[in-house]
DNA sequence: CAAGATATGTAATGTAATAACATATCTGAC
DNA sequence: GTCAGATATGTTATTACATTACATATCTTG
């Protein structure tokens, strides 16, 4: 069910750039990295990002207008994902928390709200940057 | 301590537009609303939004690149704020939840992360839009 | 092979946010 | 009152982020 298909050429290129990045990259930063490989237009990157995001191999960080490779070893289920973003070094840590998830589910249920997607991003300073 | 100063002319204009809006507005939508009052440039709106956001009279919705008037009757303390955003009607509900807040504080403490700002936005369908 | 689906290439445009600089208004010290 | 610093405003240009529209190529599958 819902197998992740093999990546296409552009998807692979974008994925490899994000996998090697130490912090989130904007679509235009990714494009610049890939000009040597022949990419020229933002849309080539955005299309790849759309697919990668759909398959949850990549996540969009809304508060940065940027993208990170998923750091989950295993596949994502339907669970909520959160991010801790260091404002000093730029590093992002991805995490899941069942308590947060169930608390949000409870709020939604109480308020007759049907959630489809949750954005949870904490900005601050990571352990290495105190 | 930290009194909210009286609003300037442009801040008042922007605040009044947001207060009457039924859903979040982009800076450019606000600008269009205020052209009749003489505003002409995005920066006039962005500057007002910066101050209003600083005083927490307005919140930025990161996932929409848009802004809403704060719906808290009382003043904000340092607490975390969350938003439930209806993808059908556009309405946004602002809420606080101590459980979410303490759980995020716990995660941060466990991971030696010093948080400064949290973005929590749930997209979905509100009670009126099932 | 033919037909439909998926992926790619390219140009142009739309939308969001900031930089740089000039001018005006407010506020307190003298 | 007036001078000086701080705050607010006005204006133009530019940068950053994202999508529309259309043409072409490649990959399925009957
Ligand atoms: Zn992930
Ligand atoms: Zn750090
Ligand atoms: Zn509020
Ligand atoms: Zn609704």
């Amino acid at each position: 069910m819902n197998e992740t298909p093999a990546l296409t050429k552009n998807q692979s290129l974008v994925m490899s750039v994000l996998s090697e990045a130490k912090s989130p990259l904007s679509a235009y930063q990714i494009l610049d990295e890939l000009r040597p490989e022949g990419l020229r237009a933002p849309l080539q990157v955005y299309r790849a990002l759309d697919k990668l995001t759909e398959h949850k191999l990549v996540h969009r960080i809304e508060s940065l207008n940027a993208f990170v490779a998923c750091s989950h070893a295993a596949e994502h289920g339907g669970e909520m994902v959160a991010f801790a973003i260091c404002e000093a070094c730029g590093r992002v840590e991805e995490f899941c928390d069942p308590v947060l998830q169930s608390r949000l589910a409870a709020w939604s249920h109480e308020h007759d709200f049907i959630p489809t997607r949750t954005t949870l991003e904490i900005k601050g300073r990571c352990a290495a940057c105190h």
Side-chain angles (χ1 to χ4, degrees), chain A:
Chain A
M1 52 163 291
N2 264 338
E3 274 301 307
T4 299
L7 300 182
T8 67
K9 179 185 139 234
N10 287 359
Q11 288 162 23
S12 301
L13 288 171
V14 169
M15 193 68 220
S16 72
V17 169
L18 283 177
S19 297
E20 284 164 26
K22 296 202 230 46
S23 50
L25 298 179
S26 75
Y28 280 72
Q29 288 175 315
I30 296 168
L31 176 56
D32 285 340
E33 293 287 323
L34 291 174
R35 285 189 196 281
E37 327 301 323
L39 293 215
R40 293 159 190 241
L43 197 50
Q44 295 175 293
V45 172
Y46 280 110
R47 283 200 278 230
L49 285 171
D50 281 349
K51 289 294 179 188
L52 292 170
T53 300
E54 201 174 287
H55 300 321
K56 302 191 180 177
L57 298 173
V58 163
H59 302 293
R60 178 180 166 83
I61 308 295
E62 298 288 352
S63 63
L64 298 176
N65 293 337
F67 302 84
V68 282
C70 176
S71 60
H72 276 54
E75 301 274 314
H76 277 291
E79 81 278 7
M80 184 208 74
V81 188
F83 303 92
I85 304 158
C86 179
E87 288 173 305
C89 70
R91 259 175 247 272
V92 169
E93 180 156 9
E94 177 180 344
F95 66 98
C96 288
D97 186 306
V99 175
L100 291 174
Q101 181 156 357
S102 68
R103 190 73 197 114
L104 286 172
W107 186 95
S108 296
H109 187 258
E110 281 165 25
H111 292 76
D112 207 7
F113 187 89
I114 302 177
T116 56
R117 198 160 32 107
T118 298
T119 299
L120 177 41
E121 301 169 7
I122 317 177
K123 293 250 186 79
R125 294 216 155 211
C126 79
C129 292
H130 294 174

